[in-house]
Structures are given as C-alpha cells and as structure tokens.
Amino acid sequence: MSVPSSMTTALRAAMTLAISGAGGFVGTTMGLPAGWIMGGAIAVSAAGLLGAPILLPDRVRDLGFILIGLSMGANVAPDSLSLLPQWPITLLALVAELVLIVTITGWALSRLFGLDKGTAYLSSFPGHLAFIIGMTSAGIGDARMIVIIQTIRIAVLTIAVPIGTMLLPIAHFPPGAAPTVMSLATLLVLLVACALAGWGFARLKVPAGWVLGAMAVSTVGKLGGFYDAGLPPIVVILAFVAAGSLLGSRFAVISRSEFLSAAKGGFIATGIAVSITTFVAFCASLFVDMPYGQIWVGLAPGALEGMGALGIALGYDTAFVAAHHVIRLLLLSFAIPAVVLMIRQLEKRAASQ
C-alpha cells in the first residue's frame, strides 16, 4: 500500500527538521558560535546535495519565520533607540556596499566566467531572489544559474559569519539570560499575535513579511511593556533549528551536477561580497560606537531570517540588524529594475551594431 502524499510530505519535513536539529546539536556541542544555526544549515545542505529528500512545506516554513521574528523582537535591546543617531553612517555604508557588490561581482561573472550580462548582474544582487526570478521571466538572464549562485551566497554567508567570530575581530557576545522566563499564557498570546501580523504582512506583499510581522509585534510588545521576561530556551532553539532548515533546504532543488557547474562562480561571487562587506563594515566601525561584528551582520548580504537569527545567537542588537536588511531589500526593489532596463538598452545597442 502506498504512503499518502500528505504523510510523505510530513515525514520529509520532520526528517529535514531532525537533520537540522542533529547538526545544530553537534555544532553546539563542539562549541561553535551560533552552533544550532551553523550546524543545522551545514547538515541540511549536505543532505540535500547528497540526494536526501529534503523538504520544508510552506506552512512549516512560515511557522519557522514566525519563530525567528518572535525571537528577534524578544531580543531587541532596550537601548536600541539610543543608537538611532548612528544609523545614518551605517546606512550610507550599506548603499556604498551594494553599489560595489553589484558592480564588481557583475563584472567578474561576466568577464571571468563568460556569463551573459543579464545572468551576471542579476546573480550579483545581494537579496530579493523572488523579485529577481520574476525579472528573468521577461527574458533577462538564466533563472536556474541565478538561483544556484544566489543559494551558494546565502549558505556560505551563514557559515562564514560564525567562522568570522573565531578568525576576525568581530566578537561574539552571548546574550545575557533573562531574569525570568515568560509564562505559557503570555507565550501563546504572543505567538498568535505574531502569526496574525506575519500573515497580514505577507498578504500585503511586504518583503520577508512573516518574519517582519512577527518581529514588529514582538518588539512593540516588549518595548511597550506587555512582557519583559525572556522566551523559553526551547523556543529560541526551535527558531535556530528552523533557520538552519530554511537555509539548508535551498539546496534541495539543486542537483549535484548543477551545483558543481555553478560552484566556482557562486563561491567567487560570495567571496567578493564577503570581502566588500568586511572592508565597508570596518570603515563604518571607525565612525560609530557599536561592535564591528554587529555592523558586519547588519550589512552582510544574506537572508533576513538567517542574519536575524545569527544576530540573536551572537548577541547583537536585532533591531539594528533587521532594519538594515529591510532597507537593503527596499533599495534593491528600485535598483533591480533599473539595472534590468540598463541591460536591455545595452543588448539593443549591441544588436544594432
């Protein structure tokens, strides 16, 4: 008797989460910074590339987003608003970083790897993958190649940040334990409110709506005095396991042959992005009074949910990290169509000559 498709989906989702949890446990046991996220992402990525039936259904994915957003809001530092006067400097650094990453990476992928300009430059944009793939439907770029290069970028950045805490002076500040843990009743009310807000943001097509909606409610609740106790540790661990699963499952739709064919360009593009982020974050750190690592994570061209979860694990100001990633997505919303239009003009000019 065949197994019902719904059961197959449930089992695959459970297996994916279990792999992430096992990898996270090993990473944490080894003492790796952000071990639950880093270990989970590596384990699920490797399993997917080796052919395991990795799957994270939309509902499970959205629940993971809610948990991550809830945890980000609950970890917002009370003095976050006092740092706002320093944000213009880091936001200026963000703009400079985006220009450098797109320009240099697009040029490198085009000239050094022979990709057409559409594929090269759309692969170079640090984020907004769904929007980018939408642009390819107009005949610009190779959607499959773009997905692979972008997936490599997100996965490598998630792994690179914790490694950087050991190799670079970006520091790791384990968050202090909350004096008390919130009651189950408070947690359930907060979860429901976060889920409703996330659903509303997603319906409004807000980028990363599930994460941002949940974070908005959680942040307002904390700063507004609705709660001041910490989340139960198991909830934070589940958020980290979900983040590892989300990041690693991106490789589930990529075959090993496809990965190998695009790996060199993907790793080179990621290396360029990491180098530029490291340099720009260092320059910004000379003018603001905040940890270099916090600036790095805020500017890092990774997924909002992944960088937000890393911000929690590394003890950084999650409001700063989330705000800079949201603004990056908004900037890309204008930059991507502009670059696509420019590429079209260049292609028309080349065809007429």
Side-chain angles (χ1 to χ4, degrees):
M1 188 173 80
S2 61
V3 178
S5 59
S6 59
M7 180 62 71
T8 301
T9 297
L11 288 174
R12 290 173 65 186
M15 184 190 68
T16 301
L17 292 170
I19 292 173
S20 178
F25 178 78
V26 171
T28 302
T29 302
M30 292 174 61
L32 297 176
W36 284 107
I37 304 170
M38 182 180 177
I42 293 174
V44 176
S45 298
L49 289 174
L50 291 174
I54 298 299
L55 178 67
L56 212 60
D58 290 349
R59 290 183 180 179
V60 178
R61 179 203 63 194
D62 295 341
L63 178 58
F65 285 153
I66 292 168
L67 288 176
I68 293 169
L70 165 64
S71 300
M72 289 171 66
N75 281 273
V76 168
D79 61 347
S80 294
L81 298 180
S82 67
L83 298 175
L84 284 175
Q86 300 185 58
W87 285 19
I89 294 174
T90 53
L91 291 175
L92 182 62
L94 176 64
V95 173
E97 173 198 71
L98 292 178
V99 172
L100 289 172
I101 287 176
V102 173
T103 303
I104 297 175
T105 305
W107 177 87
L109 291 176
S110 176
R111 291 296 183 90
L112 303 181
F113 294 95
L115 298 181
D116 63 90
K117 290 187 182 298
T119 302
Y121 281 94
L122 289 180
S123 296
S124 70
F125 279 105
H128 238 334
L129 182 57
F131 189 19
I132 291 171
I133 297 306
M135 288 289 162
T136 64
S137 64
I140 302 293
D142 180 342
R144 195 67 178 166
M145 180 68 72
I146 292 169
V147 167
I148 297 172
I149 291 176
Q150 294 277 18
T151 298
I152 292 173
R153 170 182 59 81
I154 293 170
V156 171
L157 276 167
T158 304
I159 297 168
V161 176
I163 292 176
T165 65
M166 297 183 287
L167 303 180
L168 297 173
I170 69 176
H172 176 200
F173 304 100
T180 58
V181 175
M182 69 175 60
S183 66
L184 179 59
T186 301
L187 176 60
L188 290 176
V189 171
L190 193 57
L191 270 172
V192 171
C194 287
L196 290 174
W199 177 82
F201 275 45
R203 292 276 293 182
L204 293 172
K205 307 297 184 183
V206 175
W210 286 100
V211 178
L212 291 179
M215 182 182 177
V217 166
S218 183
T219 301
V220 170
K222 182 172 184 178
L223 297 182
F226 174 73
Y227 70 95
D228 55 8
L231 292 173
I234 186 62
V235 175
V236 179
I237 292 174
L238 287 175
F240 290 163
V241 170
S245 301
L246 287 164
L247 294 162
S249 64
R250 295 173 185 268
F251 283 100
V253 296
I254 301 173
S255 67
R256 274 177 286 178
S257 59
E258 288 176 321
F259 175 80
L260 292 174
S261 67
K264 184 179 292 185
F267 282 111
I268 291 295
T270 305
I272 293 172
V274 168
S275 299
I276 292 172
T277 300
T278 301
F279 172 73
V280 173
F282 172 75
C283 292
S285 71
L286 301 176
F287 299 95
V288 296
D289 182 22
M290 61 181 71
Y292 171 59
Q294 178 173 296
I295 302 171
W296 203 101
V297 174
L299 299 183
L304 169 62
E305 64 275 7
M307 295 299 107
L310 283 173
I312 299 170
L314 298 174
Y316 297 143
D317 179 4
T318 51
F320 173 88
V321 173
H324 282 65
H325 282 279
V326 170
I327 292 172
R328 170 170 59 88
L329 293 175
L330 291 175
L331 291 172
L332 291 177
S333 297
F334 295 99
I336 292 170
V339 171
V340 167
L341 182 60
M342 189 182 305
I343 292 171
R344 278 180 169 171
Q345 293 299 323
L346 290 174
E347 290 178 344
K348 288 180 180 178
R349 188 178 303 171
S352 63
Q353 290 178 351

